[in-house]
Amino acid sequence: QLQLQLSGPGLVKPSETLSLTCTVSGGSISSSSYYWGWVRQPPGKGLEWIGSFYSSGSTYYNPSLKSRVTISIDTSKNQFSLKLSSVTAADTAVYYCAANIAVPGHDAFDIWGRGTLVTVSS
Amino acid sequence: QSVLTQSPSVSGAPGLRVTISCTGSSSNIGAGYDVQWYQHLPGIAPKLLIYGNRNRPSGVPDRFSGSKSGTSASLAITGLQAEDEADYYCQSYDSSLSRWVFGGGTKLTVL
């Protein structure tokens, strides 16, 4: 059973880069059966898709965040990571990592990790 | 404001049926993109309940069902149980925004 474990700092200063890592267990990050993504939820607001990484190496980002986001994978550690640069208070949110089953036409976030609150504050 | 609109809250007594609606537009649900539903309990990872408008992943009880018509979708929960008390989110793809989009969430209270 695929499981995702998120890690990273809970506090980031304004203008700095937010970095989170999601460790995959019960499956391989290199598998073409899944693609990997990030979703966030600002306090009191709904969920927002940040971006996704495909086994082909392609990445797709939310256009509103694209200039600041990088998603990458580390096959040696079976992890994928999120970097969000130049953060402001508006980036304060609970961040989730998720895995989507890679089937054409299947747009669901099938498996989620437990979220972590990241606060942007000096 | 979320791209997909959900009522903020819904409630029902144990054993009864509730429906949660999700209203979109011609660039997402109305364009034919599938709708997914998630159950979210505070502090716990969200759980996929329905994918492809009406399909349940393995392990999801058949008390949960999904439907879609036009620019809207619905999640129905029958035989309400106390453990169903949670936030529920719909999700689809929006072609004009070029991204996956979520509803604002509906809080279900079991009376």
Side-chain angles (χ1 to χ4, degrees):
Chain A
Q1 176 76 350
L2 199 72
Q3 292 186 323
L4 307 177
Q5 178 69 42
L6 199 158
S7 59
L11 182 63
V12 180
K13 290 183 168 56
S15 80
E16 295 190 345
T17 296
L18 179 159
S19 295
L20 296 172
T21 298
C22 190
T23 301
V24 178
S25 59
S28 172
I29 192 81
S30 302
S31 170
S32 60
S33 298
Y34 296 96
Y35 55 97
W36 315 97
W38 293 90
V39 176
R40 70 180 183 179
Q41 183 174 28
K45 296 186 179 181
L47 296 164
E48 178 182 37
W49 171 68
I50 299 171
S52 297
F53 184 101
Y54 291 69
S55 61
S56 63
S58 299
T59 50
Y60 295 89
Y61 299 130
N62 184 328
S64 68
L65 299 170
K66 186 175 182 178
S67 63
R68 300 193 291 129
V69 174
T70 302
I71 297 175
S72 58
I73 68 169
D74 184 336
T75 55
S76 66
K77 295 181 180 179
N78 222 35
Q79 295 174 337
F80 62 104
S81 299
L82 168 70
K83 291 188 185 300
L84 181 64
S85 63
S86 305
V87 297
T88 69
D91 295 309
T92 294
V94 176
Y95 285 75
Y96 299 93
C97 55
N100 303 59
I101 295 174
V103 171
H106 182 81
D107 288 334
F109 295 86
D110 296 273
I111 300 165
W112 298 63
R114 185 172 297 193
T116 190
L117 174 63
V118 179
T119 301
V120 178
S121 175
S122 55
Chain B
Q1 289 286 61
S2 299
V3 175
L4 304 179
T5 301
Q6 296 181 240
S7 298
S9 63
V10 67
S11 62
L16 297 188
R17 177 181 187 270
V18 296
T19 59
I20 298 172
S21 64
C22 175
T23 301
S25 67
S26 59
S27 61
N28 42 68
I29 299 175
Y33 293 104
D34 284 345
V35 177
Q36 282 66 235
W37 290 92
Y38 302 88
Q39 179 188 60
H40 189 202
L41 291 158
I44 297 177
K47 175 185 177 182
L48 177 65
L49 283 181
I50 299 288
Y51 67 93
N53 305 317
R54 57 176 64 248
N55 302 296
R56 287 186 307 276
S58 174
V60 173
D62 60 6
R63 300 188 297 105
F64 295 90
S65 63
S67 64
K68 171 185 160 182
S69 178
T71 58
S72 296
S74 294
L75 172 71
I77 309 172
T78 59
L80 268 180
Q81 300 178 3
E83 66 199 50
D84 297 332
E85 192 161 284
D87 295 325
Y88 293 83
Y89 293 89
C90 59
Q91 173 247 319
S92 186
Y93 183 81
D94 191 288
S95 58
S96 65
L97 297 173
S98 298
R99 61 179 174 92
W100 283 304
V101 291
F102 290 87
T106 297
K107 182 175 181 59
L108 169 62
T109 301
V110 180
L111 301 171

